[in-house]
Amino acid sequence: MTVKKHDGFGGSGTPMSGTTDGFLEECSSCGQCTSACPFLDRYGNPDRIIAGQPELAFLCTNCTGCDALCPLSLSPSEALFQTKERLIAKDSVSGKAASALRSARSFAERGHKAPFIHYSKTGTVFWPGCSLAGTNPETVRATASLLGKVLETEVGLALDCCFDPLYQMGDTRSTRETSNRIRERLKKAGIERIIVGCMNCRKVFREYLPDLDIQYVLEVLPDGIMDQPPAGKVYLHHPCPFYRLEGITEKAEGMLQNAVEEMEAQRAPACCGLGGNLAQQAPGLADQFTERVTMEACGSTIITSCMGCVNIFLKKGQETYHILDLITGTKPKSKPVSSVIKWANRLKLAQTSRSR
Ligand code: SF4
Ligand code: SF4
Ligand code: SF4
């Protein structure tokens, strides 16, 4: 039995059960997938991790890089994700993973209630996601305004947390329950169309709110509207969830292709080190993930579509821009934004949105 992809785009809303056993039966422990990431490189074949030290699965960032390397077309990333789900369901999480899970819960729950939430009553909204809203609220406003022009309708804001930090750690139950609350909030505000600025939110909503009209911002914006293209050679880093939705890596590449002098684009999933709340559990291992990307960029300016990735690369002193900063012409961040400032930005964005 092959472990199927549970990639957040299946739309079933029901975590699969029993397939990890199938993975263990079929995996030949050939080790070919271990070159995909520093985690497998350090701890060995995924079948041995799952069977012998399942708690190590919490160090997997869910990037899916290993799947493409398996000669048997198995999905070790899915088997590892299901291992996390199983441990959480059995309440068998301890040590640093338990502490990372508590932090993720506290972050998500705080962002999912007043005073940080806001739903405009506009029919169509831009949902930036926590990271973009906290890091660069000017980009959020500019993107909503640009979407309004492109769609020729008023585009308000929906500010809330989709619980992806918990989803990434395998807590699919809490994420599903939260999605149901978000559904009610959207309905109450009369919102019918949601355009999200974060592919992780898109991943969660496609899984748990598959019947709603939800698109990722780059699916909506046309090519050829780069207001502020960077000079010199750029390296395009794709956030991990880009590889779970057909056509999005190509769309980002197309938007940059004619605007920059020279571009190299990432060809396979390579997490920035933020996925799965890895940095809190094993900062040295997370650094190895980050360095893999910065080394591949080889001194070029990095462009990405995830503010989480932007902050991680800026922390390493690597010049990095969010693609929406370039599209909207908003002043990009030159330094990482602290957690305190991010919460203050989110609060201010919610307050000013309510007063409009
Ligand atoms: S971190 Fe990525 S490449 Fe490594 S095991 Fe997890 S999904 Fe696979
Ligand atoms: S490449 Fe496939 S068969 Fe080989 S160890 Fe990895 S998951 Fe198992
Ligand atoms: S921060 Fe970006 S690269 Fe890292 S896990 Fe999230 S989406 Fe992937």
Side-chain angles (χ1 to χ4, degrees):
M1 182 168 54
T2 303
V3 169
K4 290 180 285 174
K5 298 281 273 183
H6 174 55
D7 60 11
F9 289 102
S12 70
T14 309
M16 292 179 294
S17 59
T19 51
T20 305
D21 288 342
F23 172 81
L24 292 178
E25 272 169 33
E26 285 199 25
C27 173
S28 64
S29 211
C30 69
Q32 288 193 45
C33 57
T34 57
S35 62
C37 78
F39 161 58
L40 293 179
D41 187 47
R42 182 182 294 187
Y43 293 105
N45 297 352
D47 56 318
R48 292 185 194 154
I49 291 171
I50 292 167
Q53 292 179 282
E55 66 284 357
L56 288 178
F58 287 103
L59 301 179
C60 166
T61 69
N62 314 317
C63 75
T64 73
C66 47
D67 296 354
L69 300 182
C70 179
L72 301 178
S73 301
L74 300 180
S75 175
S77 73
E78 175 56 30
L80 287 158
F81 187 78
Q82 288 182 15
T83 302
K84 297 190 211 183
E85 277 187 303
R86 186 164 43 82
L87 291 172
I88 287 178
K90 287 198 311 185
D91 202 14
S92 269
V93 190
S94 58
K96 289 184 178 168
S99 152
L101 195 57
R102 277 194 298 276
S103 297
R105 182 173 301 285
S106 151
F107 174 87
E109 285 179 346
R110 190 178 183 199
H112 184 57
K113 60 188 177 196
F116 298 102
I117 60 166
H118 168 72
Y119 286 76
S120 297
K121 294 183 167 60
T122 45
T124 300
V125 289
F126 177 51
W127 173 296
C130 310
S131 193
L132 182 57
T135 304
N136 206 342
E138 292 80 19
T139 306
V140 173
R141 290 241 176 264
T143 305
S145 167
L146 178 61
L147 284 168
K149 284 183 197 140
V150 169
L151 300 173
E152 298 181 349
T153 187
E154 189 183 355
V155 176
L157 291 179
L159 307 171
D160 203 335
C161 177
C162 72
F163 267 46
D164 182 65
L166 279 170
Y167 180 93
Q168 287 196 24
M169 293 202 70
D171 187 353
T172 46
R173 184 179 164 183
S174 298
T175 313
R176 187 170 55 249
E177 288 168 359
T178 299
S179 290
N180 289 336
R181 277 192 297 277
I182 288 171
R183 176 194 295 283
E184 289 308 311
R185 291 173 184 180
L186 291 166
K187 193 173 162 194
K188 196 171 161 203
I191 294 165
E192 291 175 343
R193 184 175 186 188
I194 305 111
I195 298 155
V196 297
C198 168
M199 269 299 283
N200 278 318
C201 306
R202 171 86 156 91
K203 169 194 74 188
V204 166
F205 292 158
R206 268 296 286 269
E207 176 136 12
Y208 297 119
L209 303 172
D211 52 314
L212 299 191
D213 182 357
I214 300 175
Q215 285 174 291
Y216 177 59
V217 63
L218 295 191
E219 293 178 275
V220 178
L221 293 175
D223 289 347
I225 52 165
M226 192 68 57
D227 189 82
Q228 183 175 249
K233 185 176 175 187
V234 302
Y235 177 80
L236 180 60
H237 165 73
H238 294 303
C240 308
F242 265 39
Y243 292 92
R244 297 169 184 262
L245 188 63
E246 208 174 317
I248 289 296
T249 56
E250 293 82 357
K251 175 72 190 212
E253 285 166 30
M255 292 189 92
L256 274 172
Q257 197 81 58
N258 296 324
V260 297
E261 292 162 25
E262 195 181 348
M263 177 178 82
E264 189 185 337
Q266 181 180 289
R267 289 287 156 229
C271 180
C272 68
L274 201 63
N277 215 351
L278 174 64
Q280 193 180 335
Q281 303 173 71
L285 190 59
D287 275 348
Q288 283 182 262
F289 275 88
T290 314
E291 279 159 19
R292 223 170 31 136
V293 179
T294 53
M295 278 173 69
E296 200 172 305
C298 201
S300 301
T301 301
I302 296 182
I303 314 285
T304 184
S305 309
C306 170
M307 259 315 174
C309 308
V310 171
N311 273 301
I312 289 284
F313 297 138
L314 286 177
K315 271 185 201 157
K316 297 290 173 198
Q318 165 75 53
E319 188 178 17
T320 307
Y321 301 126
H322 193 289
I323 196 166
L324 286 177
D325 291 339
L326 304 177
I327 289 172
T328 59
T330 313
K331 188 173 177 221
K333 298 294 168 193
S334 55
K335 290 187 184 150
V337 176
S338 73
S339 169
V340 174
I341 299 292
K342 281 187 204 161
W343 282 110
N345 282 341
R346 288 171 68 179
L347 180 62
K348 198 166 159 205
L349 191 59
Q351 285 172 335
T352 51
S353 301
R354 275 194 286 276
S355 64
R356 286 184 177 207

